[in-house]
Each structure stands twice: as structure tokens, then as C-alpha cells.
Amino acid sequence: MTNEESDVTSVNEAASYDERSIDILVSLAKKGEIDPWDIDIVDVTDKFLAHIARLEKLDLRISSRTLLFASILLRMKSDALEAAEPDGDDETPPEEDDLHVCFPALKPKVRRHAKRRVTLSELIEELKKATKRKERSDARRMMHQREGGFDALSVAHTEDIEKQVARVHEELKRRFEGHDHVLFSELITHPTAEAIVQTYIPLLFMANRRQIQLEQRELFGDILIKCKDL
Amino acid sequence: MNDRDLVEAALFVAGRPLTLGELESIVGPDADIEELVASLVADYQQRGAIEVVQTGDDVVMQVKASYADAVRAIAQRDLETPVLRTLAVIAYHQPITQSKVAEIRGNKAYGHVHELEARKLIVTAPHGRTRMLRTTKAFVEYFGFETENLEEIKERIELLLR
Amino acid sequence: MNDRDLVEAALFVAGRPLTLGELESIVGPDADIEELVASLVADYQQRGAIEVVQTGDDVVMQVKASYADAVRAIAQRDLETPVLRTLAVIAYHQPITQSKVAEIRGNKAYGHVHELEARKLIVTAPHGRTRMLRTTKAFVEYFGFETENLEEIKERIELLLR
């Protein structure tokens, strides 16, 4: 193995490891199970972007994944920066203004807040429920596999992207007649992973070619497609 | 076991307001819950430092106001001072955007808003790129305001400020 | 305000046993705390569903045993249901990796593991890219298992599952 090859391999490994970590963060954030405020988005994004700079020679599949994650993280970062305000600190509150004087006005009622312990039989009851839920989701997964599970990432990699771009191009041209924008959701008649990926990736290509402009006003919200030069 | 004592036990362990419906589900459908509650309210009024209060459908057991300050320190404080302060800002300025609250209270306010929402003391609704915050009925109940009207709550806070 | 009612209010809000020393720090050094407590114990014994019990230095206000089962459902549990369910999965499958727990319980399990570790009910140790989880002695005490042996705990759970 030449030096260059081993270099690429190690970058590859590091990248895929980083992607997995980011993957977890992104999926948690998507489901609303972590608050973007709990992670230092700015820091994570910067580290991730530094990686991208080293990924030029890599496999297209990794790059497109990377691009997607980077775009999500960048969006989170911009939202985070936008919302962030000059540091205030609870330890050194601002001047005694009306707000702090009003604090004593709020006197909660004094109630009992005792909490009881959970019993062993309650623990067992929850175990039964957890087992049932697991069985159900396993059954669903098996069913899905039988119906032909779909690997979204492999599709973009193996299919002819230009063909897909042409298809989306035609569709957009038709829809832009009389409209200054089209929503991503309008392009998806059946929201399967396959349909979404096969529409989204061509859009990225077209945006890159400055044929259209993509705008997402809310994180994970609908994407606004604006015509530039179709 | 008698029904009145069962209501008393339920209010004691709950540590929060229970609805007449919740009490009925414990005592059973045959009991006259309203009467049992009225009897407890009257009984507690006459004696000691604890009171039973009914507000609409809600019944709660709590320390009488005259003893509240003396034992506040020993009560497990369920809202820490910085969170309470953020809540005060929201109550006074509501409806107010989350970014405005963060401007006044610093970035920690985002965590506070999260906690206050989980405690159902405030509700948040999307508002452009930030969120609009306001207090809830649970807030009114928690602090013993007599009104749910936001303007009247603000007036009342303003009055207390003087 | 009288001293006896102050003791009553303190015991009510504490929701845990208070020592005679703690009560004195609330009521003041001039009061005969033991006498005030004895009077409350006697008073509560005669009436209702609540009792005041003194054991050595500790005084506690609690629901009488005969009412405890009837109101258990309404008392707040110190572990929320989803967290408890994750704990149950860990106890049954232990030692189990964090990623396996997440597979069974979903991504929320990461937060649950965090909480359970903070509560010292489980310990986690690095295991490749994930963590290996198991229950602790505190877990054994909490649920009243007679043994600390993991295999025996699992056997006991299996028995209860039937």
C-alpha cells in the first residue's frame, strides 16, 4: 500500500466513525429526543466541516451522506447562532431591574412533594410491556424485510443520477408555470424513503448548478424550491 | 377504611390537585365526593397548619398561607431560583418570544423554558424562527392567581411590584 | 402561628422523616419539641388516614398502613414509567450493552441510562464503542432482592414473569 492509499484508508475510517456519531445525533435531534441546545452544535459542525475538507478523494456515497449531514448540522448551527444572545449569567444577574424585583411576587403554594418508591411488581409489569413492544417491532422489521427492504443510500450510488435529474427537471419546469416556488412535499406523491431520496438528491445537483434555489425555513420542515435558471 | 379518610389519604399522597373525577376513581362511584370534600375542607379549616382547598373541579391539600413562609425552606423546592426567575420574566412580559427571554435572562433560559414547559407552567408555539411563550392554567393554579386572564395576571404582578 | 402547627406544617411539606434537631431549627430553641411531637402523634392517632410516627430521633408524617395500598396509584413514583421500563430490560438481560438496550427500547434509552446511572441504580463501563450496563447494590436494596448475585436476580425476575 502506498502512503497515499493508507492515508485515504485512515481518513475513510475516521470519517465513517464520525459519521456514525453524527448519525446518532441527527436522528436523535430529528425525533426531538435531544434538544440541539444540549449539544454544542457549533463545535460539532466545525469539527465535521474540518473533516469534509479532507474527504475530497472519497467514495461518492460517503460524500453525499456527508453532504446531507453537513447541511443539517449547518442549519442547526445557523439556528443556534441566530437564537444565541450575548452571554447572560445567572451567577451575575443584570442590574436590579423591574424583572428581578417582581421575582418575590411569585410565591408558589407549599405542598408535599414526596415521591414513593416503585414496587418490584411494577418493575416486572414494565418488563412484560417492554418485551411485548420488542416482539411487535421485531415482527414489523421482518415483514418489512420480506416486502423488500430498501437501502436508500445504495440507490443514489448505483442509479444513473443524470437520468433522475432530468426527470425532476421536467417535473419542476411543469410546476413552475405560473408559480414562483414549489414545495418539496408537492413533488412526493408517495412519501417512501426511495421516492424522497430520488427526488432530493437531483435537487441538490440542480441547486449546485444554480438552476434552482433551495430554502428550508424550519429545521426538518418542508423545503421551498425557487426557480433560478431552468 | 371509610370514604372520607380515603379522600384525605389520596390528597395527602398526591401532593398536587386532584380532580373530583380522580377522587371518585379511588373512592368508588357510590360516594358523594363533593360532600366528603366539603367535610374535609371544613374540618381542616378549624385546626392546624394544613388546609384542603377546592377550586372548581380541583381539590388540593397544602400548607396554610400563614405557615407557608416558615416552612418553605424545608419543602423540596421544585423550581430552582433561576428557573423561577425566568418564569417571572415570562409571566410579566407575556406573550413573549423565547429569544427575547434569552436576551433578558441569558442562554440558560433555553433550558429553563424546556423545564417550565415540561412542568406545564408555560406553553410554547412556533413563531417565525423562535417560539412564543405564555403561562398556562396550571401556572395560575400553582401561584394562586384568581384569574386566567393574561392581562389581569400582568396587572396583578405589576401591583405586587409597587 | 403556634409552635405545634409549625411542626405539623414542617412534617407535611418535608415528605420525609425530619430529626428532632431539624424541627428545632425551624421552631426555635425555646420550644419543647418532644412534647409538641408527642401531642401531634396522639392527635393524629385518633383521627383520619394520616399518622405522625416518631422512631428514635426521626419524626415522619405518613399515610396509615391500612390506607397505603388504596392510594398507591395516585402517589407520584420516583421513577417515570419509560425509565422504569428501561431499567427492567437492563435488569433482565444484564450484563447488556447500551446499544442493545437502545435497540430494544429506542433512542430515548440513552437518556434513561443517564438517569439510572445518576440514581446509582445501574453502573456502566466502556465496552468497545458502546457501554456495558449492569444493576448495582442500590438496585438490590431498592427492590428488596435478597441477593446481589446477578444470575440469581435474573432467575428471580424470570420466576416473577411467569
Side-chain angles (χ1 to χ4, degrees):
Chain A
M1 198 186 278
T2 67
N3 268 348
E4 198 178 321
E5 272 168 349
S6 82
D7 228 46
V8 170
T9 312
S10 72
V11 170
N12 242 323
E13 277 169 4
S16 74
Y17 177 67
D18 266 26
E19 277 186 2
R20 267 195 296 279
S21 329
I22 303 272
D23 199 358
I24 292 169
L25 286 180
V26 169
S27 80
L28 286 176
K30 244 187 228 170
K31 290 180 190 160
E33 286 170 359
I34 52 165
D35 191 329
W37 281 99
D38 292 342
I39 38 178
D40 191 344
I41 293 295
V42 178
D43 184 50
V44 172
T45 310
D46 288 344
K47 282 190 181 137
F48 194 63
L49 290 179
H51 252 301
I52 294 177
R54 288 154 51 197
L55 290 181
E56 280 173 13
K57 294 177 191 167
L58 295 184
D59 177 280
L60 170 66
R61 181 167 58 166
I62 289 178
S63 305
S64 62
R65 246 171 103 83
T66 307
L67 192 68
L68 174 63
F69 287 150
S71 67
I72 292 173
L73 280 170
L74 266 177
R75 179 53 190 270
M76 287 168 117
K77 174 178 172 174
S78 70
D79 282 359
L81 287 177
E82 185 173 21
E85 297 296 339
D87 259 354
D89 203 336
D90 284 321
E91 275 63 56
T92 52
E95 292 303 297
E96 275 289 298
D97 54 24
D98 54 350
L99 302 162
H100 298 101
V101 183
C102 92
F103 163 57
L106 295 178
K107 267 192 187 165
K109 299 281 182 198
V110 175
R111 290 177 187 158
R112 245 179 119 251
H113 283 286
K115 289 185 175 169
R116 69 169 177 89
R117 286 187 166 198
V118 173
T119 64
L120 181 55
S121 63
E122 284 171 329
L123 181 78
I124 300 298
E125 211 38 55
E126 291 309 325
L127 181 56
K128 281 181 188 162
K129 286 177 187 161
T131 314
K132 267 192 208 135
R133 184 178 165 273
K134 176 76 166 55
E135 280 164 5
R136 275 201 303 270
S137 69
D138 281 353
R140 260 202 306 274
R141 195 172 306 137
M142 277 175 65
M143 189 96 81
H144 184 66
Q145 274 163 5
R146 264 203 300 277
E147 285 166 357
F150 171 72
D151 180 0
L153 290 168
S154 64
V155 171
H157 188 52
T158 52
E159 287 199 359
D160 184 350
I161 285 183
E162 286 306 332
K163 239 185 230 169
Q164 291 180 25
V165 173
R167 178 181 60 82
V168 175
H169 187 277
E170 277 312 300
E171 179 68 18
L172 275 179
K173 223 172 167 180
R174 198 175 60 76
R175 288 184 182 260
F176 273 133
E177 274 168 28
H179 298 94
D180 63 343
H181 70 263
V182 173
L183 290 173
F184 181 68
S185 58
E186 292 171 26
L187 299 176
I188 308 287
T189 24
H190 301 292
T192 61
E194 183 170 8
I196 290 169
V197 171
Q198 290 186 353
T199 309
Y200 181 65
I201 290 181
L203 287 178
L204 289 180
F205 275 84
M206 292 168 72
N208 190 40
R209 292 166 191 171
R210 302 193 185 282
Q211 295 171 314
I212 54 167
Q213 187 186 333
L214 298 176
E215 203 179 315
Q216 191 178 30
R217 293 199 173 145
E218 202 166 303
L219 195 51
F220 308 121
D222 209 339
I223 298 166
L224 205 68
I225 307 161
K226 286 185 179 164
C227 182
K228 287 192 85 173
D229 185 24
L230 264 191
Chain B
M1 286 213 306
N2 75 56
D3 290 348
R4 185 172 170 279
D5 292 351
L6 208 46
V7 172
E8 185 186 31
L11 291 171
F12 178 79
V13 300
R16 62 177 173 91
L18 294 177
T19 63
L20 295 173
E22 283 177 296
L23 288 170
E24 191 180 292
S25 73
I26 295 162
V27 181
D30 297 336
D32 184 343
I33 300 291
E34 297 239 27
E35 199 187 297
L36 296 174
V37 168
S39 156
L40 277 171
V41 168
D43 185 19
Y44 271 89
Q45 210 157 38
Q46 281 170 20
R47 47 168 293 280
I50 305 169
E51 64 182 1
V52 175
V53 180
Q54 179 173 2
T55 323
D57 237 25
D58 287 336
V59 188
V60 68
M61 184 183 277
Q62 63 197 16
V63 171
K64 285 179 181 165
S66 50
Y67 289 91
D69 283 336
V71 295
R72 202 179 294 280
I74 216 150
Q76 285 172 31
R77 183 62 165 280
D78 56 350
L79 282 178
E80 311 236 345
T81 307
V83 182
L84 198 54
R85 209 170 278 178
T86 299
L87 179 59
V89 169
I90 296 168
Y92 186 57
H93 291 285
Q94 67 182 315
I96 179 174
T97 61
Q98 178 162 274
S99 47
K100 184 75 192 162
V101 174
E103 192 182 302
I104 298 171
R105 295 280 302 133
N107 277 336
K108 283 187 182 175
Y110 290 98
H112 301 169
V113 165
H114 199 72
E115 180 177 343
L116 291 167
E117 199 181 4
R119 291 284 308 269
K120 299 196 184 357
L121 290 168
I122 63 167
V123 282
T124 79
H127 183 83
R129 288 203 173 151
T130 179
R131 301 185 76 78
M132 187 62 86
L133 320 179
R134 64 189 74 226
T135 59
T136 60
K137 195 179 161 186
F139 167 86
V140 169
E141 192 275 324
Y142 190 84
F143 289 100
F145 286 99
E146 292 88 19
T147 170
E148 279 182 48
N149 181 295
L150 295 194
E151 281 313 310
E152 285 175 34
I153 289 174
K154 286 166 74 169
E155 271 169 35
R156 176 117 177 75
I157 293 177
E158 208 139 351
L159 214 67
L160 287 161
L161 278 177
R162 281 178 201 150
Chain C
M1 283 214 307
N2 75 55
D3 290 349
R4 184 171 169 281
D5 291 350
L6 205 47
V7 172
E8 185 187 31
L11 290 171
F12 175 77
V13 299
R16 61 177 174 90
L18 294 176
T19 64
L20 294 173
E22 284 177 296
L23 288 171
E24 192 180 291
S25 72
I26 295 162
V27 182
D30 297 337
D32 184 343
I33 299 291
E34 297 239 29
E35 197 186 299
L36 295 174
V37 168
S39 155
L40 277 172
V41 169
D43 185 18
Y44 270 91
Q45 213 155 38
Q46 280 169 21
R47 47 170 290 282
I50 305 168
E51 63 183 0
V52 175
V53 179
Q54 179 173 3
T55 322
D57 236 25
D58 286 337
V59 189
V60 69
M61 182 183 279
Q62 62 196 21
V63 167
K64 287 180 181 164
S66 51
Y67 289 92
D69 283 337
V71 295
R72 195 183 303 282
I74 217 134
Q76 283 185 56
R77 303 195 308 196
D78 65 356
L79 283 173
E80 301 207 13
T81 306
V83 182
L84 183 61
R85 202 171 287 181
T86 299
L87 178 59
V89 167
I90 295 168
Y92 185 55
H93 292 286
Q94 66 180 317
I96 179 172
T97 61
Q98 178 160 274
S99 48
K100 184 74 192 161
V101 175
E103 192 183 302
I104 298 173
R105 294 282 299 132
N107 278 333
K108 284 192 178 173
Y110 291 100
H112 302 167
V113 165
H114 199 71
E115 180 176 341
L116 291 166
E117 199 180 4
R119 290 281 306 268
K120 300 196 184 353
L121 291 169
I122 63 166
V123 281
T124 79
H127 183 85
R129 283 191 181 161
T130 179
R131 301 185 74 78
M132 187 61 87
L133 321 178
R134 63 188 76 223
T135 59
T136 60
K137 197 177 161 185
F139 169 85
V140 169
E141 277 164 11
Y142 187 102
F143 288 102
F145 286 98
E146 292 87 21
T147 171
E148 281 182 46
N149 180 296
L150 293 195
E151 280 313 310
E152 285 176 34
I153 289 175
K154 287 167 70 169
E155 271 168 34
R156 176 120 175 73
I157 291 177
E158 202 130 4
L159 216 67
L160 288 165
L161 269 179
R162 279 175 206 155

